[in-house]
Amino acid sequence: MAANESKVSMFGFVGKAPARIGQPESAPVCTFRLGSTPAYYDAARGAWVRRPTTWITVKAFRNLAVNLFRSLHKGDPVMVTGSLVTEEWTKEGQLHSSLVLEADGVGHDLNLGQGVFTRVKPEETDSPGRRDPWDDRADSKAGNTPDDSEDLGAATREGVSPGQEMAGSHTANETAKAPTQPVDAF
């Protein structure tokens, strides 16, 4: 970490769908707007009081950019950790600046919902001679290999996603081991 680097974590909602920026042959860069609205409980009023929303631009690079571009949608609750930086540019002779959060990590806020993780091997998106990381046709190749599914206990039946498996149904391997419980039975 560089001297005097400002590392922060922000919780909020994706305010604008992630967008790809930069040139196709350059390293992947993705950006989105994050809105964070703090709230506190006012006992005198007997109600929650919301403070003004803070908006910040989040930028991600390389594998993180590609993965968040494919994973995040407007309205998703997220957690972002990274460095606060000031970007400067000149427009019509005027110097402008903006505070940007350069993301080191981005994830869905699981306090507000459930998620399913699909591992993508780094060499699939960030190696010399790689396929275009923004190419959506590659999505059908991404994810767990049959060997990974065995190790992770992921779904192996067609038409059933790993998330559906975890939400109460069971795989053939689990049937022999023990009955599954619904998610809300913990």
Side-chain angles (χ1 to χ4, degrees), residues 13 33 39 49 52 58 60 72 74 76 89 95 101 112 138 146 152 168:
F13 292 86
R33 295 285 287 166
V49 178
V58 177
L72 298 185
K74 182 178 178 178
D76 284 355
W89 68 95
L95 180 64
L101 178 53
L112 301 172
L152 300 174

Side-chain angles (χ1 to χ4, degrees), residues 26-100:
S26 65
V29 180
C30 187
T31 185
F32 69 93
R33 295 285 287 166
L34 176 71
S36 180
T37 308
Y40 64 94
Y41 185 75
D42 185 344
R45 293 185 199 173
W48 283 92
V49 178
R50 292 178 183 254
R51 293 189 175 139
T53 300
T54 299
W55 289 97
I56 192 160
T57 298
V58 177
K59 277 191 179 177
F61 303 91
R62 298 176 197 70
N63 284 341
L64 180 58
V66 173
N67 290 336
L68 78 81
F69 181 76
R70 293 180 179 169
S71 302
L72 298 185
H73 303 90
K74 182 178 178 178
D76 284 355
V78 293
M79 304 177 292
V80 180
T81 301
S83 301
L84 285 176
V85 298
T86 301
E87 288 189 345
E88 295 180 338
W89 68 95
T90 303
K91 182 177 178 182
E92 299 175 3
Q94 295 282 354
L95 180 64
H96 298 272
S97 66
S98 177
L99 194 60
V100 173

Side-chain angles (χ1 to χ4, degrees), residues 13 75-79 107-116 183:
F13 292 86
D76 284 355
V78 293
M79 304 177 292
H108 283 102
D109 185 349
L110 298 180
N111 280 310
L112 301 172
Q114 299 177 355
V116 176
V183 172

